[in-house]
Amino acid sequence: MSDNCLFCKIINGTIPADIVYQDDTVLAFKDINPQAPVHILVIPKRHIATLDDLTEADRADIGHLMERLAHVARAAGVAEKGYRTIINTRAHGGQEVFHIHAHILGGKPIGPMVAR
Ligand code: AMP
Ligand code: ZN
């Protein structure tokens, strides 16, 4: 846990969230400012700031997270038509919350992947 981390506060229940899935190591909840009909964030329960901070010790948790992300997308009903998964890293990647998270965006065509 990291004291001033918004997503750690969601994990420990200090800040409410619309949780759609959780287990021992992963939490998935709806994005508060959805950019598509389905917009879910999938995070590890252990605080890891960015993708660049991953180490070998995180392999099992992140592998599990990706498999659970696919499960969450299926449960949200977007798997058959498809969805986009995004992980933003640091300033140029547009990362605003420094607790690693994967976005699931779906429920409509998300369009071409363009850097703006
Ligand atoms: P990123 O720009 O990749 O760091 O994404 C951060 C995401 O967190 C944004 O899409 C925000 O809308 C979302 N977000 C911020 N605060 C909350 C919150 N309290 N509950 C759910 N999602 C949030
Ligand atoms: Zn955190």
Side-chain angles (χ1 to χ4, degrees), residues 40-54:
I40 295 169
L41 303 176
V42 185
I43 68 175
K45 284 191 170 174
R46 202 157 43 78
H47 181 83
I48 303 168
T50 84
L51 192 67
D52 186 54
D53 295 301
L54 288 180

Side-chain angles (χ1 to χ4, degrees), residues 6-7 10 15-17 29-33 39 41 88 94-97 101 103:
L6 178 67
F7 288 173
I10 287 177
I15 290 177
F29 54 96
K30 293 185 182 174
D31 196 292
I32 204 167
N33 182 24
H39 189 171
L41 303 176
N88 296 322
Q95 186 174 5
E96 291 174 353
V97 178
H101 52 280
H103 297 254

Side-chain angles (χ1 to χ4, degrees), residues 28-107:
F29 54 96
K30 293 185 182 174
D31 196 292
I32 204 167
N33 182 24
Q35 303 299 307
V38 171
H39 189 171
I40 295 169
L41 303 176
V42 185
I43 68 175
K45 284 191 170 174
R46 202 157 43 78
H47 181 83
I48 303 168
T50 84
L51 192 67
D52 186 54
D53 295 301
L54 288 180
T55 70
E56 264 186 66
D58 301 314
R59 282 182 180 175
D61 279 2
I62 295 300
H64 175 71
L65 183 149
M66 292 305 294
E67 187 277 328
R68 290 291 83 189
L69 182 152
H71 167 82
V72 166
R74 282 193 295 275
V78 297
E80 194 175 332
K81 287 194 170 172
Y83 55 93
R84 181 162 299 154
T85 306
I86 299 173
I87 300 175
N88 296 322
T89 301
R90 297 192 178 135
H92 283 191
Q95 186 174 5
E96 291 174 353
V97 178
F98 282 76
H99 181 128
I100 192 169
H101 52 280
H103 297 254
I104 298 172
L105 292 159

Side-chain angles (χ1 to χ4, degrees), residues 17-40:
D18 193 344
I19 292 168
V20 297
Y21 175 83
Q22 67 175 314
D23 61 24
D24 285 351
T25 63
V26 170
L27 183 70
F29 54 96
K30 293 185 182 174
D31 196 292
I32 204 167
N33 182 24
Q35 303 299 307
V38 171
H39 189 171
I40 295 169

